[in-house]
Amino acid sequence: MNKPKDEPGLQTILSHCGRNLEASGGYVNVPPYEGSTIIHDDMDDLFGRVDNHLYGDGTARTYGTDGGPTHEAFYEAMNKLEGGVGTWAFSTGLAGCTIPMMAFLKTGDHMLVTDSVYGPTRQFCEVLLKNFGVEAEFYGPTIGAGIEGLIRPNTRLIYMESPGTHTFEMQDVPAIAAVARRHGVVTMIDNTYATPINFQPLKHGVDVVVHSATKYICGHSDVLMSTVTCNEKTWKQVRAVCKMTGQYASAQSVYLGLRGLHTLKVRLDAVGAHTRKVVDWLLKREEVKKVIWPAYEKDPGYPIYKRDFAGPIGLFAFQFQDYFTDVQINRFMDSLKLFGLGYSWGGFESLILRSYGKRTVGDPKIMRTMIRVYIGLEDPQDMINDLDQAMTKMRDA
Ligand SMILES: Cc1ncc(COP(=O)(O)O)c(C=O)c1O
């Protein structure tokens, strides 16, 4: 569908989003305004703001934890990109994945969580929510509309992540969201992989979208932060939980988040093109059994990727042939010179990991067979040469 003639293109939106020259004193970006105490004009102002919190919409700023002008600029940008009505930022990605769940769950409730969910989010559901009397049931990520069969009278929340960031199964998010709506169940998604550029879940019927902004949004491996963006139906509940639990991301972090948004698409385009070169090379290697990347035309997730996503992401996995031993594979990993052996992704630098983690619906051993690769902004041929020399050492081990 073509956009209306007077609506700016995505690159223009990204370049200008969050701009507020009044709040910034004329600077392009609103600087990091950090503070705790707000001085009120007089008692009418003080009680007016208090009343807004007690009886009104709760948007009046009374204290530093409400966030300041830098937060507002970043939130406005995220709302625009995701098509949401409200955004809140948290001090880590994991906090953004977990805290908003409390807005919808209470003792005796049942929730459905993708088996491919980010490991620490899984742990929160399996341990902490269980302690509070909430039952988390895990579903196979390719279940699609079949999720209807798992919904119970006490199901309150479905938590998706598409694709999971180790095994990369794409989920039929619109189909799952449609089932949830029919049953009055709230849906949440960890959309970190897609970023707000490649997929906007709220436009496909999801209620709450989370991003670990630590990854692509901040984009330089120097910030921990997340965002939650909500639709009209869920925003007040989520905001109330954020405030009641004292969630706050520093002004410096949200400043860097807003700065990251301005270059997000350019970075994604570059990383996507680099990744395609590396994937094409890996596909030709006899040492490699399988490459798992939703943007690869023969990947099982490709039809959904093609339907829902606007472009590729630089995170994927591959498996070595079964005849390579653990020792050989570790030799490969240890021989890499340019790839960093580290958690995370979405920065400017390439990273690699041997995956691990728990699965209760799918094959529990599958994770250990995955080499997870993140391709950054380096020259792709240098990264290919690095993989090549490490494979030579692996064969000789
Ligand atoms: C998909 C996904 N969600 C959430 C997180 C958590 O983000 P953070 O590391 O900022 O806590 C991660 C981190 O790796 C992730 O990959």
Side-chain angles (χ1 to χ4, degrees), residues 2-274:
N2 289 334
K3 65 181 178 58
K5 218 172 160 197
D6 54 354
E7 194 178 302
L10 178 59
Q11 295 276 27
T12 309
I13 291 173
L14 287 168
S15 291
H16 291 205
C17 65
R19 186 175 294 180
N20 181 341
L21 296 180
E22 202 182 327
S24 71
Y27 288 122
V28 172
N29 278 345
V30 181
Y33 284 108
E34 196 80 75
S36 59
T37 309
I38 289 169
I39 302 292
H40 297 74
D41 294 341
D42 51 29
M43 278 312 298
D44 281 349
D45 180 32
L46 192 144
F47 274 156
R49 294 196 207 198
V50 166
D51 284 346
N52 172 273
H53 277 269
L54 292 178
Y55 310 111
D57 65 6
T59 52
R61 219 189 283 151
T62 59
Y63 190 59
T65 47
D66 293 325
T70 323
H71 293 76
E72 279 165 14
F74 180 54
Y75 293 170
E76 186 193 311
M78 287 302 295
N79 289 339
K80 170 89 184 156
L81 293 173
E82 285 288 4
V85 304
T87 293
W88 199 271
F90 304 77
S91 58
T92 66
L94 183 57
C97 295
T98 54
I99 301 290
M101 289 186 201
M102 295 187 208
F104 310 109
L105 297 168
K106 61 180 183 332
T107 304
D109 286 347
H110 170 251
M111 73 182 290
L112 290 163
V113 185
T114 177
D115 199 32
S116 56
V117 73
Y118 173 61
T121 306
R122 179 183 194 111
Q123 223 179 1
F124 175 82
C125 298
E126 282 182 329
V127 179
L128 217 61
L129 287 183
K130 190 172 170 213
N131 286 346
F132 284 92
V134 173
E135 183 188 351
E137 179 181 350
F138 294 89
Y139 67 86
T142 58
I143 196 168
I147 200 154
E148 189 143 29
L150 299 180
I151 290 183
R152 304 180 194 168
N154 62 337
T155 307
R156 296 285 170 262
L157 182 65
I158 298 177
Y159 188 96
M160 296 172 265
E161 193 177 311
S162 179
T165 55
H166 286 277
T167 43
F168 301 97
E169 302 93 340
M170 291 295 295
Q171 296 195 32
D172 194 341
V173 174
I176 293 174
V179 169
R181 283 190 170 220
R182 274 206 304 281
H183 290 267
V185 174
V186 171
T187 45
M188 241 181 109
I189 189 166
D190 182 335
N191 198 36
T192 305
Y193 186 90
T195 82
I197 305 301
N198 284 341
F199 185 53
Q200 297 92 35
L202 298 182
K203 296 178 184 162
H204 294 266
V206 176
D207 298 309
V208 180
V209 178
V210 180
H211 287 280
S212 169
T214 307
K215 310 293 186 271
Y216 271 121
I217 290 178
C218 292
H220 291 73
S221 308
D222 51 4
V223 183
L224 285 164
M225 182 173 67
S226 62
T227 59
V228 61
T229 302
C230 301
N231 62 10
E232 188 79 49
K233 184 176 91 183
T234 53
W235 172 230
K236 276 193 179 163
Q237 269 170 284
V238 169
R239 189 183 58 194
V241 166
C242 293
K243 286 172 71 77
M244 278 189 269
T245 56
Q247 300 307 316
Y248 179 77
S250 74
Q252 181 68 20
S253 298
V254 294
Y255 172 80
L256 291 172
L258 181 57
R259 194 174 71 162
L261 287 178
H262 298 318
T263 58
L264 181 54
K265 177 141 173 49
V266 189
R267 288 185 281 116
L268 286 183
D269 287 349
V271 156
H274 292 190

